[in-house]
Amino acid sequence: MDYSSMRLTAAASSIVVLLTMGSTVSVSAAETEIFGIKLGAPLTLPICQLSIPAPAARSSNRGIGSRAFNKLTAPPPEPLKATPPSTGLCVAPGTTNMAVGNTEFGPGEYGYLVFATAEFPAWVAPIGMSIGAGAGDAFSLDGAGGLVLLDNGRVIALRFNTSGFEAEPRVMELLKRKFGSPGSQKAVTWNNDLGGSRESISAQWRAPDFFADYSSVVQAQAMRAQGLSGGIGFLNIGNDLGKQVLQPASKEAEF
């Protein structure tokens, strides 16, 4: 697979996979790094290595018509697999168009963040649970941790799935340590099919050319399937351009 057209810049150095734990409340995109990724700057992560999984062994019939039968019953080929780095993060560039918010990103305009296996944050949920790959992306996303969105090669937003209620205390702790208290926060009540209820958190941070939005549970169906102990949330962090992409401003009807 040729990624020469991708606008993702590879760097030889590894990055530190920890949220910066500074207590500065005054935040701007120009000084904000998440997992070593700086908002508004070119993405400088190594490109993930892609490997081809070994094909599964299968039995084949012999005789008249067997070739056509075997072809029809053969499992689809295994996709390329993004191999996690030994440390830090790598990026697996998206290979097709994918809609995020009200914007469609093409190849080279987004990528999947893949954590080193031993450094995968416990609060990050598997990407396929709600973000998913762009239809037709030709690789497996085992181990992927989030999306990075680009504009002219510069990072405008990061998007992570979170593991619902279970992750809520840890994510709020990290966000408050890094960005201070949220500018707004509210509780959202969820009810399951058995008459039980539980509250999740919706919190927002705002500063010049910076935003962070966290919802600890956003998918009712997933929560019902897992009981009130589950659910899936999201964390979006970016600059003003990224906010426009992920949360387009609504306008009154014009006459």
Side-chain angles (χ1 to χ4, degrees), residues 149-210:
L149 306 179
L150 306 171
D151 181 75
N152 291 324
R154 294 181 176 272
V155 177
I156 61 172
L158 303 170
R159 182 177 177 91
F160 299 94
N161 293 345
T162 69
S163 50
F165 289 117
E166 180 182 348
E168 184 177 284
R170 179 58 173 160
V171 176
M172 286 299 294
E173 176 191 10
L174 290 171
L175 288 170
K176 288 179 179 179
R177 286 185 184 182
K178 188 170 181 65
F179 305 134
S181 298
S184 62
Q185 178 177 328
K186 65 180 180 180
V188 180
T189 301
W190 294 89
N191 300 309
N192 69 359
D193 295 332
L194 302 176
S197 65
R198 189 170 181 178
E199 288 187 344
S200 67
I201 289 176
S202 175
Q204 293 79 39
W205 287 257
R206 297 290 185 268
D209 200 26
F210 171 83

Side-chain angles (χ1 to χ4, degrees), residues 95-111:
T95 61
T96 185
N97 289 356
M98 180 172 65
V100 183
N102 282 352
T103 303
E104 188 173 81
F105 287 82
E109 297 178 336
Y110 72 99

Side-chain angles (χ1 to χ4, degrees), residues 2 12 31 55 62 83 134 183 195 219 247:
D2 181 14
E31 61 189 23
R62 298 179 181 276
T83 304
Q219 290 200 356
Q247 294 183 327

Side-chain angles (χ1 to χ4, degrees), residues 42-191:
L43 182 65
T44 56
L45 290 179
I47 302 297
C48 298
Q49 293 184 351
L50 300 179
S51 60
I52 302 176
R58 63 183 182 88
S59 59
S60 60
N61 295 323
R62 298 179 181 276
I64 299 176
S66 60
R67 180 177 298 178
F69 176 81
N70 291 333
K71 185 176 181 180
L72 286 172
T73 58
E78 290 289 330
L80 295 172
K81 184 173 183 178
T83 304
S86 58
T87 187
L89 284 170
C90 65
V91 61
T95 61
T96 185
N97 289 356
M98 180 172 65
V100 183
N102 282 352
T103 303
E104 188 173 81
F105 287 82
E109 297 178 336
Y110 72 99
Y112 302 100
L113 301 175
V114 180
F115 290 90
T117 302
E119 300 171 9
F120 197 97
W123 56 268
V124 173
I127 193 172
M129 293 181 73
S130 67
I131 296 177
D137 270 353
F139 49 78
S140 168
L141 293 174
D142 291 347
L147 278 178
V148 56
L149 306 179
L150 306 171
D151 181 75
N152 291 324
R154 294 181 176 272
V155 177
I156 61 172
L158 303 170
R159 182 177 177 91
F160 299 94
N161 293 345
T162 69
S163 50
F165 289 117
E166 180 182 348
E168 184 177 284
R170 179 58 173 160
V171 176
M172 286 299 294
E173 176 191 10
L174 290 171
L175 288 170
K176 288 179 179 179
R177 286 185 184 182
K178 188 170 181 65
F179 305 134
S181 298
S184 62
Q185 178 177 328
K186 65 180 180 180
V188 180
T189 301
W190 294 89
N191 300 309

